[in-house]
Amino acid sequence: MTETPLIGDFRAEADAPLDGARIGVVTFPGTLDDRDAARAVRLGGGTPVSLWHADASLHGVDAVVLPGGFSYGDYLRAGAISRFAPVMETLIKEAGAAASSGPLPVLGICNGFQVLTEAHLLPGSMIKNDHLKFVCKDQALRVENNSTAWTSQFTDDEIISVPLKNQDGQYVADEETLKALEAEGRVVFRYLGGNPNGSRNDIAGVTNEAGNVVGLMPHPEHAVEAGYGPDDSTGMRSGTDGLTLFTSVISSLAGGSK
Amino acid sequence: MPRIIVEVMPKPEILDPQGKAIVNALPHLGFEEFSAVRQGKRFDLTVDGEVTEEILEQARKAAAEMLSNPVIEDVVDVRVEDQR
């Protein structure tokens, strides 16, 4: 009998059968968390593929992560210059509303979320935290939509803890957009235990209409490995709640759904 | 060289955290007469040669599509500065 590693088994090797999903991680000038995101992809059971901002090709990847950092030093507005990178032109075509059936799953984390809003793949925008300070802490979130490509393996209203670290994290959108997001269940992650940055409706993350594009300000890729995550009930630094985003997308790519 | 000036401000309905911090700091320096501050951006676009209507239109397009984000900001002015 062939030993088949479970999805999420971090011992999975590159040639393991379930390791077929190739997930691109884009590096822009000033991106910081691309290596952590690539590691999260690996720990989630996928094969990370490094994508470069100036290369318009997605190299046939099955999904893309836009990681956190300060691309172009947040010049102009966070994500505003990266949004025009050659890789983004291709990504917008493959992930956006114009894409044919099976649009590309895309996850934007922190600066990646800002890039997705600037690219109009996700509604709203981020402005400076209402208290003007950089925040860095473990943050409790409620997963309110587990039917997206990136959240399918969470339970209904699952409460998770992942690090939050940013300065321009205050999610804003006009009233009409907020109403639509709430009515359509497109708020994917909501802050719990106090709003850390003034975000409208405590919104931490949202999805597009098709559910293939998800963006959030907190950092699931920093909570994927025991010993390096947030504290949880099992011990210090033991939290690995973020890993579920990366296992979810592989499950979604394999045709799994709720 | 003629320049096109583009001015961008946060939308009125968007709370401007930076402006709020500034207005709170002003009284510490004895500036007591200002009840609100909003902080915006000004871009100077230098043009090598004459500013034609076509170039001005390009500046308006750049202001709308890149220099501002319509979700949070308004382009309040696009004008040609007097040639010197």
Side-chain angles (χ1 to χ4, degrees), chain A residues 38-228:
Chain A
R39 186 166 174 78
V41 166
R42 171 77 71 199
L43 293 174
T47 300
V49 176
S50 189
L51 299 177
W52 181 239
H53 71 107
D55 182 353
S57 171
L58 296 177
H59 297 275
V61 295
D62 303 306
V64 172
V65 178
L66 301 182
F70 292 88
S71 60
Y72 291 93
D74 277 355
Y75 290 176
L76 188 57
R77 296 175 304 278
I81 296 180
S82 302
R83 172 252 178 280
F84 294 99
V87 74
M88 285 302 298
E89 301 299 325
T90 312
L91 188 142
I92 290 165
K93 271 186 216 130
E94 301 213 1
S100 53
S101 61
L104 186 75
V106 178
L107 176 68
I109 303 168
C110 194
N111 190 225
F113 185 15
Q114 293 160 339
V115 173
L116 290 175
T117 62
E118 284 286 341
H120 310 302
L121 284 172
L122 290 175
S125 185
M126 256 68 63
I127 62 173
K128 282 198 192 305
N129 294 340
D130 57 354
H131 46 74
L132 293 170
K133 293 186 185 72
F134 189 92
V135 172
C136 184
K137 62 168 188 160
D138 294 340
Q139 175 68 49
L141 304 172
R142 186 168 55 231
V143 184
E144 298 198 356
N145 178 338
N146 60 359
S147 59
T148 78
W150 297 91
T151 55
S152 57
Q153 294 194 331
F154 286 105
T155 56
D156 290 342
D157 287 336
E158 184 168 340
I159 291 169
I160 64 170
S161 177
V162 299
L164 174 72
K165 46 159 202 171
N166 56 63
Q167 174 153 301
D168 288 14
Q170 181 178 175
Y171 182 78
V172 296
D174 60 46
E175 283 304 319
E176 203 176 311
T177 305
L178 289 172
K179 261 184 211 156
L181 285 174
E182 297 287 356
E184 294 163 20
R186 286 165 57 195
V187 176
V188 181
F189 300 97
R190 208 182 302 265
Y191 295 116
L192 284 184
N195 188 327
N197 49 29
S199 289
R200 299 295 176 278
N201 297 18
D202 299 341
I203 291 172
V206 298
T207 186
N208 63 345
E209 279 173 42
N212 63 307
V213 181
V214 171
L216 78 166
M217 283 315 289
H219 287 264
E221 83 283 19
H222 295 329
V224 295
E225 193 169 16
Y228 303 93

